[in-house]
């Protein structure tokens, strides 16, 4: 007998295949980790108060700047450094970033008294505080300037709360009333016009209508005047508050005034302890999560966008989940196998591959222009007449319905799959005990297939949360003045436009006039969006796993 | 109410060749039978165009254990499923003839199958516990029938589990998932589930074929214990099992009832050559 050969074992056992599968998985994992890593590194560092240098160039020019990045020129090999210089209004081109060749750098100092001022307008400001000019506010005189500034800030803020906030609230109530009156006016005018077209309408009814219109118009004028008056008063108060300024010395030797009322917060990064930096970081993160955006979305918070995203996914889930499950149950349990059902199944599977923008266009055509316009004609004919739309324009409801349509195939397919993989014996056992088909479905089949259904639901949700294209034409906006939920009856306004994190990324990343300034926010927003998707799917996965433990069989 | 035998007479014209023989076999069996609970008359069943049962005529005795034996594919399961209309679930099934229970033809499409299945329970070859607690598994039949009273449910669950000889093993963990039980326990649970709705007939399709000898022995004991209160019809491939648990045995061959009689008679002095060949293991 010839000895059994060695050597070929390696290939026969398929070791390379195992490596290939492992390698592929590793590659996928690596690219995911890389993506998340880039987002994390850029996103998490944004709010950390990095030091501000006083830069002296070889030609003697001096300015303040935060080092952002360095880049090697591919051809010459020269290295240039990018600084964030802030003080946008002082730059002839209104830029707040500046590239400097490394050779041109003479020295970098980090003086402890450089201050960063976050402002309501024109981005941040770098400078050394010299004095505070606030004649109107009584400030402690013989304390360091920094404390004076802090006192001035507090004083301006309390002034604002005491004088401007009540005015703003009053204006808001007035404007709401104004809106109601305008609505009534439109309604009355519409009715009056209709009665002109119907000659048999009673003359005295017309007369009452005319009287009502006159009353409403008078009221409208009165309200408008009052509102304008209050607005003027508010502006006057604001202007008075802007009188208080802080004077900053710049490295060039000039001084520059910044109104205290424009300041959001001030800090001296070079003098801060780690603990102070941490507190600053926490405050910024809280602002991000709870505040509204400022400065064309490159500053401030993201709360409306977070809220919009969560609401959108939530509404999407409420619509697509029942629809998908019911359709999937019908396909998997009731429909008789045949060419029609096969076609439907193929169609549903392919629906999942239709580009999302196509769904957006469908949503626009069907929901907004179709159903929305129809609803408007039924419920708000007077507004249609005045060319104002309620449902006939994009809004949260239509966007979430569009997303629901987009994700429903995934739920259908997974439900059908889950129902069909339940062994026939389970159904037979239930029916043999005298259960109807429906009882069997509700009491046995649905619980048993719930983990599978949840899996589909998780996929659907993740897809919906990251989808932007269809939203852009069905109701998302760059800046929504109001949230879809507020204290005004009926508290929930699905017809309103909304903000969305995904769209926010696109908007500030690619539509912003100041790309450099908005870059950090892109990473932060991406990070938040990923985090939200992660949280939502973690909850869903947790639910699914507990269902699995409860409902899934060991050996059937 | 139609008279069953009148319809039977109309059907005599299209009798299959073996029908006369079947009729004599049935008549012979009927002579020694106690009051029948179900009378099958000239039952033919078609899966699409193929006829799987060729005019079965037999009476199932009340409160006895009847076993159906025969080679694979002879139609035992099909016949069993006719008794609680489980064949309705299969597309393209058509039957002719009657199955009379209390004088009512249960093959009539107008019969309420839900009610019928409550009266004719079934235990399958593979145990299929529901993914619920042990308690809810047993209570399932009652719950779907609309029973809500906790005391009634508790009582029925306990007595059913006791009769299925499972009570002692599970009484401390009724709330746990039934999925955690062993295969043999699963099957006894399924039997408990079936008797919880208090059926008149329990159909068992090879209930022990997936079980080990010990569990099989327990189920057999259980069947013997249930005799006298329930009518049990059991399909089995195990001749010893048929001999041990049943008092009546029917031998089917290719969709035809060959012989039907008291188990002792069928196993010791079969009247037909085919029966003898089958039980002595010469074919099948
Ligand atoms: N759903 C079905 N569709 C078509 N033909 C079927 C179906 N079920 C059973 N048959 C056919 O009917 C005949 C009887 O089948 P049945 O399952 O009743 O046999 P059986 O005696 O129970 O066999 P086994 O001992 O293997 O379980 C067989 O020829 C089988 O192929
Ligand atoms: Mg069978």
């Amino acid at each position: 007998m010839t000895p059994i050969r060695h050597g070929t074992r390696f290939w026969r056992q398929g070791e390379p295949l195992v490596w290939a599968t492992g390698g592929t998985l590793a590659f996928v994992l690596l690219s995911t980790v890389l993506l998340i890593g880039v987002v994390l590194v850029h996103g998490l560092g944004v709010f950390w108060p990095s030091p501000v240098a006083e830069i002296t160039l070889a030609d003697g020019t001096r300015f303040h700047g935060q080092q952002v990045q360095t880049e090697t020129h591919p051809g010459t090999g020269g290295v240039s450094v990018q600084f964030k210089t802030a003080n946008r209004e002082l730059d002839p081109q209104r830029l707040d970033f500046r590239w400097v060749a490394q050779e041109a750098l003479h020295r970098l100092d980090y003086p402890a008294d450089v201050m960063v001022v976050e402002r309501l307008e024109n981005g941040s400001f770098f400078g050394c505080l010299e004095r505070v000019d606030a004649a109107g506010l009584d400030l402690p005189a013989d304390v360091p300037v920094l404390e004076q500034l802090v006192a001035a800030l507090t004083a301006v803020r309390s002034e604002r709360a005491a004088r401007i906030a009540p005015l703003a609230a009053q204006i808001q109530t007035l404007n709401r009333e104004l809106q109601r009156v305008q609505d009534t006016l439109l309604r009355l005018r519409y009715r009056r016009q209709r009665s002109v077209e119907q000659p048999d309408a009673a003359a005295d009814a017309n007369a009452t209508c005319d009287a009502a219109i006159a009353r409403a118009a008078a009221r409208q004028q009165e309200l408008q005047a009052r509102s304008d008056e209050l607005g003027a008063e508010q502006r006057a108060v604001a202007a008075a508050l802007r009188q208080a300024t802080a004077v900053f010395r710049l490295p060039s030797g000039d001084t520059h005034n910044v109104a205290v009322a424009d300041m959001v917060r001030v800090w001296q990064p070079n003098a801060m302890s780690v603990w102070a930096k941490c507190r600053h970081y926490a405050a910024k993160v809280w602002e991000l999560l709870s505040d509204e955006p400022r400065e064309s979305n490159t500053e401030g918070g993201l709360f409306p966008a977070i809220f919009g995203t969560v609401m959108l996914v939530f509404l999407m889930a409420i619509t697509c989940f029942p629809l998908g499950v019911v359709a999937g149950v019908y396909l998997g349990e009731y429909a008789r196998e045949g060419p029609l059902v096969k076609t439907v199944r193929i169609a549903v599977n392919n629906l999942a591959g239709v580009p999302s923008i196509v769904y957006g266009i469908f949503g626009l055509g069907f929901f907004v222009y179709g159903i929305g316009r129809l609803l408007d004609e039924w419920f708000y004919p007077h507004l249609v007449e005045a060319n104002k739309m309620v449902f006939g324009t994009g809004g949260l409801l239509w966007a979430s319905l569009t997303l629901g349509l987009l994700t429903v195939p995934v739920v259908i397919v997974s439900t059908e799959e889950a129902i069909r993989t339940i062994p026939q014996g389970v159904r037979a056992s239930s029916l043999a005990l005298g259960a109807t088909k429906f009882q069997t479905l509700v009491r046995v089949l649905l619980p048993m297939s719930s983990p599978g259904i949840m899996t589909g639901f998780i996929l659907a949700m993740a897809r919906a949360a990251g989808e932007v294209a269809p939203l852009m034409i069905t109701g998302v906006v760059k800046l929504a003045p109001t949230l879809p939920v507020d204290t005004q009856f009926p508290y929930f306004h699905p017809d309103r436009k909304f903000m969305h994190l995904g769209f926010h990324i696109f908007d500030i990343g690619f539509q912003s006039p100041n790309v450099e300034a908005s870059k950090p926010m892109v990473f932060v927003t991406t990070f938040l969006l990923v985090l939200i998707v992660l949280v939502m799917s973690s909850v869903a996965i947790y639910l699914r796993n507990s269902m699995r433990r409860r409902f899934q069989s060991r050996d059937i | 109410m139609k008279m069953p035998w009148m319809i039977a007479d109309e059907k005599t014209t299209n009798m299959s060749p073996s029908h006369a023989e079947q009729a004599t076999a049935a008549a012979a069996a009927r002579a020694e039978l106690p009051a029948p609970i179900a009378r099958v008359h000239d039952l033919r069943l078609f899966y699409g165009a193929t006829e799987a049962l060729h005019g079965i005529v037999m009476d199932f005795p009340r409160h006895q254990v009847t076993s159906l034996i025969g080679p694979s594919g002879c139609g035992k399961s099909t016949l069993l499923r006719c008794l609680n209309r489980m064949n309705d679930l299969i597309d393209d099934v058509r039957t002719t003839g009657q199955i009379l229970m209390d004088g009512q033809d249960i093959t009539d499409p107008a019969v309420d199958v839900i009610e019928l299945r409550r009266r004719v329970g079934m235990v399958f070859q593979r145990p299929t516990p529901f993914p619920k607690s042990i308690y809810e598994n047993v209570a399932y039949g009652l719950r779907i029938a609309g029973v809500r009273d906790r005391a009634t449910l508790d009582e029925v669950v306990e007595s059913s589990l006791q009769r299925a000889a499972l009570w002692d093993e599970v009484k401390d963990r009724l709330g746990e998932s039934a999925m955690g039980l062993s295969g043999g326990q699963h099957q006894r649970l399924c039997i408990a589930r079936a008797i919880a709705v208090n059926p008149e007939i329990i159909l068992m399709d090879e209930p022990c074929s997936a079980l080990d000898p010990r569990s099989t022995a327990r189920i057999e004991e259980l069947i013997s214990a249930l005799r006298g209160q329930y009518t049990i019809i059991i399909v089995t491939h195990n001749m010893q099992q048929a001999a041990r648990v049943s008092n009546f045995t029917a031998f089917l061959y290719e969709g035809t009832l060959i012989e039907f009689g008291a188990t002792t008679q069928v196993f010791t002095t079969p009247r037909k050559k085919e029966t003898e060949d089958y039980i002595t293991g010469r074919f099948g």
Side-chain angles (χ1 to χ4, degrees), chain A residues 10 20 108 150 166 168 206 209 251 276 316 329 348 379 477 507 524 539 551:
Chain A
F10 177 79
L108 296 180
V150 172
N206 281 348
C209 197
M316 181 285 300
V329 162
V348 166
F379 296 115
V477 284
D507 177 59
V524 170
V539 170
F551 296 128

Side-chain angles (χ1 to χ4, degrees), chain A residues 22-46:
Chain A
T24 319
L25 183 67
F27 177 75
V28 171
L29 212 69
L30 216 75
S31 43
T32 315
V33 166
L34 193 73
L35 178 74
I36 304 269
V38 166
V39 170
L40 276 182
V41 165
H42 285 89
L44 290 181
V46 170

